[in-house]
Amino acid sequence: MSELSKYKLDDFIIKTQDKTSNPGGGAICGLAGALAASLTLMVDNLSKQEALEDPGRVQDLCQRLQVLMQKDAQAFGRVLRAYKLPRESQEEKAHYQEELEKGYQEAIEVPLDICRTLLDLLRIGKTMKDKAHKYALSDLKVAASLAYGAMEGAGFMVETNLPGLGQEAQEAYRKTLEAILKEGLEIKEEVNHDA
């Protein structure tokens, strides 16, 4: 399990407030996503475990989001380390540019992976709507809203780091992100819509 997940809740909240910016927005999105997965499992339990075809899959997503929470907390560190590299000679400049781009790529891939994982969770949540216990439907709606909010937030982290890459890579990532967010929003609205 991730280092951040070992914090007590009060300590985690205080740690988030400090000026280290670690955990930052992406890690918080991972945490919110893990809570959405936990709520999804709670709905299944309240529905006498009849709403989910594979509860283990949701548990795996919950654990994955906790790992991504920690990875995101570390991802931007590579960018910061690259900025400290010497840039006097042509070789040093080339090495600096290469490391900087790798750092930005990592700072994009991790929150994008959070988005993908949350989309998987939303897809599963959608299948539960007609099977969940009626008194747990509000919890399923909270899970969907929380998952989509975390997805949107992780998308902000992707967008923030895109300028560190070339134009072609930026466009490819942006297209992928837009597709994920579009489907995620559609599912969230479907889950939260009362028939």
Side-chain angles (χ1 to χ4, degrees):
M1 207 50 60
S2 72
E3 180 184 316
L4 286 175
S5 67
K6 293 178 183 173
Y7 276 86
K8 291 181 184 177
L9 182 58
D10 289 349
D11 293 337
F12 191 99
I13 291 168
I14 291 167
K15 176 69 175 136
T16 303
Q17 296 170 19
D18 74 23
K19 63 182 178 181
T20 65
S21 72
N22 186 7
I28 298 303
C29 291
L31 173 60
L35 290 170
S38 295
L39 262 178
T40 302
L41 288 165
M42 184 191 82
V43 170
D44 186 51
N45 287 327
L46 292 173
S47 304
K48 299 183 180 174
Q49 300 180 328
E50 295 171 356
L52 281 170
E53 290 180 20
D54 184 7
R57 175 70 180 133
V58 178
Q59 187 62 52
D60 289 346
L61 294 175
C62 185
Q63 290 174 352
R64 173 88 181 131
L65 286 159
Q66 290 175 75
V67 169
L68 289 168
M69 176 177 71
Q70 182 64 39
K71 280 187 174 183
D72 188 86
Q74 299 165 341
F76 200 69
R78 188 168 188 173
V79 173
L80 297 177
R81 288 190 299 277
Y83 275 120
K84 293 178 182 177
L85 291 171
R87 300 185 284 269
E88 300 297 321
S89 69
Q90 288 300 323
E91 283 182 1
E92 287 175 341
K93 287 177 183 176
H95 178 66
Y96 159 78
Q97 197 59 47
E98 182 182 334
E99 286 302 306
L100 189 62
E101 189 162 321
K102 285 179 182 176
Y104 275 115
Q105 185 116 25
E106 187 176 341
I108 290 165
E109 282 291 340
V110 174
L112 190 60
D113 201 1
I114 291 172
C115 290
R116 289 184 182 111
T117 305
L118 288 165
L119 183 56
D120 286 346
L121 178 63
L122 281 164
R123 287 171 175 159
I124 292 169
K126 177 182 169 182
T127 68
M128 298 173 68
K129 186 175 178 182
D130 295 330
K131 302 173 190 173
H133 191 285
K134 64 180 180 178
Y135 294 119
L137 280 175
S138 58
D139 296 298
L140 185 63
K141 291 177 181 183
V142 171
S145 294
L146 189 56
Y148 181 73
M151 177 191 287
E152 188 177 36
F156 295 148
M157 306 314 288
V158 171
E159 288 282 353
T160 296
N161 291 302
L162 283 179
L165 300 181
Q167 195 62 38
E168 191 175 320
Q170 285 185 45
E171 288 173 13
Y173 276 119
R174 198 168 277 118
K175 186 176 178 182
T176 299
L177 178 62
E178 286 172 1
I180 291 170
L181 289 171
K182 181 178 184 288
E183 184 180 349
L185 180 59
E186 288 169 358
I187 294 172
K188 188 260 303 186
E189 289 178 347
E190 185 175 337
V191 171
N192 291 350
H193 179 72
D194 292 320

